[in-house]
Amino acid sequence: MTGELLSPPCHQDHKAGDQKPHQRRRLNRRRLALLQPSQSRGILLLLSTIIAITIMNTMIQSAYSFTSRRAIILTRAATTRKSNAVFSRHGFFQTNAAHSSSLSSSALSSQSYDVIVIGGGHAGTEAATASARTGARTLLVTQNKSTLGELSCNPSIGGIGKGHLVREIDALNGVMGTVADASGIHFRMLNRRKGPAVRGPRAQMDRDMYKENMQHLLLVDKDNGMENLEIMEASVDDLLLDEGEGIETLAPLADPADVDNHLEMEGGSNSNESARSEKARALSSAKANESNRRARIRGVVAIDATTKERIEIESTTVVLTTGTFLRGVLMIGHERYSGGRHLRDSEEVEPPSVGLALTLERFGFPLGRLKTGTPARLDGRTIDWDACKIQPSERPAVPFSYVRQSRGEEPPLAAAGNLIDCYQTATNEETHKLVMEYAHLLPEYDGMDGKGNGPRYCPSIYKKVERFAERKSHNSFLEPEGLNTDIVYPNGMSGPYPEEIQLKIFRSMMGLEKAEIVRPGYDVEYDFVNPQVLTHTLEAKSIAGLYLAGQICGTTGYEEAGAQGIIAGANAGRAAGAAYRGEKAPVAFVLGRDEAYIGVLIDDLVTKGTTEPYRMFTSRAEYRISLRADNADLRLTRKGAEYGLVTDPERLAALDMRQALIGENVERLRDFKLFVTDWGKRGGNDLMGGAAANRPGKEFKKKTAEEVLGMPNVSLKMVESIMADVFDEEQQEKQETADGESSSSEPDVDAKMDPTPLSVYDTVEASIKYKSYVVRQEKDIESWRKAQGAKIPPNIIYDRAVMPTFKQEEIEKLDQFRPSTFAEASQISALRPQSLVYLYHHVMRLNKESGKKKREESESVAV
């Protein structure tokens, strides 16, 4: 079953000292890395003036040329032709240069669309494909088609919490999981030693393959609704709007009066009155905000990438997925220059979106500044791999796609044995000394008084060292970016120091003493919209037909962006498509907190907002026992089909097959019985017999395999092993009986009890082990909802010493906002459900102690 694992490319029998330093592309600037602040201030002022003038001239002359970018991409693509042949042999997508869905401005001059999606990142691709699957005439507008599907930062998909989102996207017929499976070169299930609810699938991608596979799906495929999708290379400069207070939308969703009837028919995975009430409010939110409308979408104004012609394209809805491009500024050291990101393998940048930011500002959208960063890329030939700790891929590799799981297949490259190893190194005290010594050379940001507002849970190396000064090291994982490249991504090491300082920092680490930088790391700061101005459909309250998704909503990560994209695209497509066809306004596609992590994500964003980049964790979901990565298809695929999102017949057939297999295997466990004493003898009294196993009379009591599996520390594998042994013994007895008797029917001596198939193993085990916990979970959440009106004492002390289970972020935000009721506390961004429950019990305990103290004082006074 296990194929030979491939080591990182080009490092076998290769010593770093034998290699010439990689010829690095450098930006045309003088390095100020080694100057102290007093020495560099004058030079920095001069450079800043020169850079500002250069940027102004560049913008005036429209010098953002995409021609050279294409040449760079095509040159790089030529190096992967050999691997493309391998991909096709193993069932991968193939890139077709003649993209039939490409459009020019002349082709668009007389056309209109139901949905226009702006941006071809992870939110944009999911939004566009979701809209197309609903039958809506969809146009995806991107500045550069060759960057569709680009993994701008970390070349990986999934992780803890994030893997749940990818599985849910896949369950709704989204594209991320399918493309990730086709491009994966290293697979692991994170948190495998913990319970099924918190396990997260993660895969390392071949960056070139991921981009090529995504582009094939978008530009060439015409199945599964993709015939409704067209793509244009252009920069969207502004929105076409009809303005007016309370203006009527051109693409309505169902009236709130219809919502209750729809909920009655729909039911829910964890239906209870509180959950249904929340869902009703979410479903009706789009219509309920009619009085807030100041405009409605009529289309977009775009600049054609080839002709530079200014064109107007009509549509009734627009999905805005600008990523880091909304007034984006790139930074290395003290240098700043406009852009959304650097093109891969190039010093060129993709220009920012300024016009859209100004329009949003004009309509009162609350804009803020966030930042993110990407680390330098290293030359794998200059790394001492033997000095690092190996992190092999798991076998068999678990795919993201439920369709592939139902076939019993591994991802293609895993099946072919074409996997790579990742490696682990770490910072040390010398690294930390350098990080702090050169901190004065880091950029000055617009947000947070110059400090920048970056992701708390994916911080720069400077933030790690500053925040955790007591720690002597931080891990970094060295992740090769593909099968046919020497470029390595050093996970956890972002830091936009001048390039020379980045190199010093890396060379202080084990295994990187002779490392060379291929491209320096940089930061990007960009505008985002406080998502509280959106409804649960991700439609803006003030502009009808405008939907937002991805980093523009304050999130960080490919998976969070894709999850928002599929909801925004589905609702835009359903509403606009129905309006075009003259059909009744459809019910909004909204997922509740009890249905999906996508529901948790969007509810957190639109009800609580965010003041820093939002990342998904399993701890954010109060229903996480039910919302597992293994059962997303059971929760969502049927619903996706009802709403027109799931259009693939094989996916629906795979769901039917999985449900049948799960039912059969659970029923088998329910029907199999042994005496308690027999379970104890075969599996151990402490493990399977229980404390009362040897009590008189217990030898006559039987337990089913289902009941035994529900006990702590008992796995499905253990239970099925005992069941198989009993089955074999029974077969042996039948054989012996047949040998001693004349019988017309011979027993099947080769018959064996097959274990639960891998495709449903986790789901069968979890559904039984968590059955009682799900009931308790429901009771806890229901009691918490009823207690939201309770008061919180104004003098309460928020401290980790008193609240040890709280994250530092939660303590900081509680102390900052000091909510007076639990209803207010529940609206604080990033406060987890279990922390709210803990806080409730803590306050009740304080109230009880306070009451007792007052009674004692009053009794003392009376005496």
Side-chain angles (χ1 to χ4, degrees), residues 288-364:
N289 286 289
E290 204 171 76
S291 60
N292 296 322
R293 290 185 192 141
R294 297 175 53 196
R296 69 184 178 200
I297 287 291
R298 190 167 53 82
V300 302
V301 179
I303 310 298
D304 186 275
T306 304
T307 66
K308 306 303 180 186
E309 179 186 356
R310 184 181 177 87
I311 53 176
E312 294 186 358
I313 313 169
E314 293 187 349
S315 70
T316 50
T317 59
V318 167
V319 183
L320 196 55
T321 67
T322 52
T324 60
F325 285 73
L326 207 61
R327 283 197 287 218
V329 176
L330 306 178
M331 305 177 190
I332 299 179
H334 287 167
E335 297 192 48
R336 297 163 59 94
Y337 42 103
S338 295
R341 68 180 172 196
H342 269 282
L343 284 166
R344 184 147 54 110
D345 296 338
S346 173
E347 293 177 12
E348 288 194 70
V349 300
E350 293 184 83
S353 176
V354 178
L356 288 171
L358 294 174
T359 297
L360 294 175
E361 207 165 48
R362 180 165 69 89
F363 278 88

Side-chain angles (χ1 to χ4, degrees), residues 125-136 138 172 226 565-570 573 644-645:
T125 53
E126 292 295 349
T129 51
S131 171
R133 290 197 304 277
T134 67
T138 307
L172 293 171
M226 292 305 98
I566 204 167
I567 297 298
L645 270 177

Side-chain angles (χ1 to χ4, degrees), residues 4-80:
E4 183 180 353
L5 296 175
L6 301 179
S7 296
C10 305
H11 90 267
Q12 295 110 322
D13 303 321
H14 217 50
K15 295 188 182 297
D18 296 335
Q19 298 301 312
K20 294 181 180 179
H22 188 77
Q23 297 300 312
R24 305 189 301 274
R25 296 181 177 89
R26 298 179 183 273
L27 297 174
N28 296 323
R29 59 185 184 269
R30 292 289 304 274
R31 298 297 184 183
L32 303 174
L34 302 178
L35 298 179
Q36 295 303 313
S38 59
Q39 298 172 292
S40 63
R41 199 168 291 124
I43 300 175
L44 281 172
L45 182 59
L46 177 61
L47 267 178
S48 298
T49 305
I50 294 170
I51 291 168
I53 294 170
T54 303
I55 290 172
M56 287 175 65
N57 288 336
T58 302
M59 292 176 68
I60 292 169
Q61 297 169 16
S62 300
Y64 285 110
S65 171
F66 288 92
T67 306
S68 58
R69 299 178 203 170
R70 293 194 190 96
I72 290 163
I73 297 297
L74 290 172
T75 300
R76 181 172 178 79
T79 65
T80 61

